Amino acid sequence: MTANRDGFTLVASCRSGSRSRHSFERKPMMRSLGFALITVLFLGHAACSDQDQRQSAGNQPALTATATPTSTPTPPPPTAPMTATVKNVGLTWRDDESATPVTTIKVGGTVTWMIASGTHRLASIPSSQENGCDGLNDPLTSENLGTGASHKRVFDQAGTFGYECGIHKGKPNCKNNTGERMWGIVKVVP
């Protein structure tokens, strides 16, 4: 390599013995070399810093979080309504509020069954371990109700009560709010 005032000349020899001569200007080459040097230094510093942080973290005791109980008030349970309406949709009972066969009402509240089509009769289901339903002191019964008819019942006893259509029959399961055929459940809460 030979240098002069404006740059330097690089002479490279190949295996074949031929020589190649390249001239470079000083300023662009110095900028490139300076940039490369700064990049290498930066990457080296970043790698060392990361390793130092990992080592120092290994020498420090582990931080553990401890839960401290606080006295946050428990939100009140949602209040149940005092009135509810249940309608038949084909051979299914549907509560207007929940859109399911399960109605929730407050003790002393009234449920109104409205017959949208067909003829149906309300009949409570006896309590059993199998169905998990509570027994009503005064069973839920109605006469045959045709299209447009309704039946009201005040529930003054807390519990979960199953009922069916006495004509089309049903089998409610109060344990998991399911059933077969034309069934319904009334949950009466304090």
Side-chain angles (χ1 to χ4, degrees):
M1 176 170 33
T2 60
N4 60 27
R5 189 165 115 26
D6 296 327
F8 61 93
T9 302
L10 177 65
V11 178
S13 296
C14 297
R15 284 188 183 177
S16 64
S18 64
R19 292 185 176 193
S20 166
R21 185 178 295 264
H22 298 283
S23 295
F24 297 95
E25 289 184 20
R26 178 177 287 177
K27 290 182 183 178
M29 183 60 134
M30 290 304 220
R31 280 190 205 131
S32 296
L33 286 174
F35 178 74
L37 181 62
I38 289 172
T39 303
V40 168
L41 288 173
F42 175 75
L43 292 174
H45 175 70
C48 289
S49 295
D50 186 40
Q51 186 176 3
D52 289 345
Q53 286 176 354
R54 279 185 269 143
Q55 284 177 348
S56 65
N59 294 335
Q60 294 178 358
L63 298 177
T64 56
T66 304
T68 305
T70 59
S71 59
T72 52
T74 304
T79 56
M82 289 300 293
T83 60
T85 303
V86 177
K87 296 176 184 161
N88 76 298
V89 177
L91 296 178
T92 305
W93 298 113
R94 289 281 179 246
D95 176 76
D96 279 354
E97 185 69 27
S98 70
T100 70
V102 180
T103 302
T104 302
I105 192 108
K106 199 169 184 94
V107 172
T110 303
V111 177
T112 303
W113 284 267
M114 299 179 75
I115 307 303
S117 64
T119 302
H120 304 283
R121 180 171 28 96
L122 297 168
S124 57
I125 297 293
S127 173
S128 75
Q129 285 186 342
E130 181 185 347
N131 67 25
C133 299
D134 297 317
L136 279 166
N137 293 337
D138 181 21
L140 171 63
T141 59
S142 75
E143 56 191 39
N144 287 349
L145 303 168
T147 302
S150 65
H151 179 81
K152 289 186 180 190
R153 166 70 185 256
V154 174
F155 287 86
D156 56 5
Q157 175 187 350
T160 303
F161 310 104
Y163 65 94
E164 67 178 350
C165 172
I167 297 171
H168 300 103
K169 303 299 178 196
K171 188 176 179 183
N173 185 327
C174 296
K175 292 178 186 177
N176 57 20
N177 296 334
T178 61
E180 297 172 12
R181 299 181 300 279
M182 197 166 184
W183 62 277
I185 296 173
V186 177
K187 293 184 176 191
V188 184
V189 298

Short mmCIF file of all heavy atoms in Angstrom, two decimals, residues 46 67 87 89-90 108 113 133-134 137 166 176 183:
data_model
loop_
_atom_site.label_atom_id
_atom_site.label_comp_id
_atom_site.label_asym_id
_atom_site.label_seq_id
_atom_site.Cartn_x
_atom_site.Cartn_y
_atom_site.Cartn_z
N ALA A 46 -23.06 -2.31 24.01
CA ALA A 46 -24.40 -2.82 24.31
C ALA A 46 -24.34 -4.26 24.80
O ALA A 46 -25.02 -4.63 25.76
CB ALA A 46 -25.28 -2.72 23.07
N ALA A 67 -48.81 -10.18 49.19
CA ALA A 67 -50.15 -9.60 49.16
C ALA A 67 -50.54 -9.17 50.57
O ALA A 67 -50.36 -9.91 51.53
CB ALA A 67 -51.14 -10.62 48.64
N LYS A 87 -93.49 -15.78 29.02
CA LYS A 87 -94.38 -16.09 27.90
C LYS A 87 -93.97 -17.42 27.29
O LYS A 87 -92.81 -17.81 27.39
CB LYS A 87 -94.29 -15.00 26.83
CG LYS A 87 -94.75 -13.65 27.31
CD LYS A 87 -94.54 -12.59 26.25
CE LYS A 87 -94.92 -11.23 26.80
NZ LYS A 87 -94.35 -10.15 26.04
N VAL A 89 -93.09 -19.53 24.04
CA VAL A 89 -92.66 -19.40 22.65
C VAL A 89 -92.71 -20.83 22.11
O VAL A 89 -91.82 -21.63 22.39
CB VAL A 89 -91.23 -18.82 22.54
CG1 VAL A 89 -90.78 -18.76 21.10
CG2 VAL A 89 -91.14 -17.46 23.21
N GLY A 90 -93.83 -21.14 21.43
CA GLY A 90 -94.04 -22.53 21.02
C GLY A 90 -94.21 -23.38 22.28
O GLY A 90 -95.05 -23.10 23.13
N GLY A 108 -91.83 -11.99 47.73
CA GLY A 108 -92.97 -11.07 47.72
C GLY A 108 -93.29 -10.57 46.33
O GLY A 108 -94.26 -9.84 46.12
N TRP A 113 -97.54 -15.23 33.92
CA TRP A 113 -97.36 -16.07 32.74
C TRP A 113 -98.40 -15.62 31.72
O TRP A 113 -99.58 -15.51 32.04
CB TRP A 113 -97.57 -17.54 33.07
CG TRP A 113 -96.42 -18.16 33.80
CD1 TRP A 113 -95.37 -18.83 33.25
CD2 TRP A 113 -96.21 -18.17 35.20
NE1 TRP A 113 -94.51 -19.24 34.23
CE2 TRP A 113 -95.00 -18.85 35.45
CE3 TRP A 113 -96.91 -17.67 36.30
CZ2 TRP A 113 -94.48 -19.06 36.70
CZ3 TRP A 113 -96.40 -17.87 37.58
CH2 TRP A 113 -95.19 -18.55 37.77
N CYS A 133 -84.78 -29.15 42.98
CA CYS A 133 -85.75 -28.07 43.16
C CYS A 133 -86.29 -28.09 44.59
O CYS A 133 -86.38 -29.15 45.21
CB CYS A 133 -86.92 -28.24 42.18
SG CYS A 133 -86.44 -28.16 40.43
N ASP A 134 -86.65 -26.90 45.08
CA ASP A 134 -87.29 -26.79 46.38
C ASP A 134 -88.79 -27.02 46.19
O ASP A 134 -89.34 -26.85 45.10
CB ASP A 134 -87.05 -25.39 46.97
CG ASP A 134 -85.57 -25.13 47.23
OD1 ASP A 134 -84.89 -26.05 47.74
OD2 ASP A 134 -85.10 -24.02 46.93
N ASN A 137 -94.67 -24.30 49.42
CA ASN A 137 -95.69 -24.56 50.45
C ASN A 137 -97.07 -24.65 49.81
O ASN A 137 -97.90 -25.45 50.22
CB ASN A 137 -95.67 -23.46 51.51
CG ASN A 137 -94.39 -23.47 52.32
OD1 ASN A 137 -93.70 -24.49 52.40
ND2 ASN A 137 -94.05 -22.33 52.90
N GLY A 166 -98.51 -28.54 32.36
CA GLY A 166 -99.21 -29.76 32.74
C GLY A 166 -99.75 -30.53 31.56
O GLY A 166 -100.06 -31.71 31.68
N ASN A 176 -78.76 -27.23 37.73
CA ASN A 176 -77.94 -26.60 36.69
C ASN A 176 -78.76 -25.80 35.67
O ASN A 176 -78.26 -25.52 34.58
CB ASN A 176 -77.10 -27.67 35.97
CG ASN A 176 -77.93 -28.78 35.38
OD1 ASN A 176 -79.12 -28.61 35.16
ND2 ASN A 176 -77.31 -29.91 35.11
N TRP A 183 -90.40 -26.77 30.33
CA TRP A 183 -90.06 -26.60 31.74
C TRP A 183 -89.71 -25.14 32.04
O TRP A 183 -89.41 -24.36 31.14
CB TRP A 183 -88.87 -27.49 32.11
CG TRP A 183 -87.63 -27.11 31.33
CD1 TRP A 183 -87.30 -27.51 30.05
CD2 TRP A 183 -86.59 -26.21 31.74
NE1 TRP A 183 -86.13 -26.93 29.67
CE2 TRP A 183 -85.66 -26.14 30.68
CE3 TRP A 183 -86.36 -25.48 32.89
CZ2 TRP A 183 -84.51 -25.35 30.74
CZ3 TRP A 183 -85.21 -24.69 32.95
CH2 TRP A 183 -84.31 -24.63 31.89
#
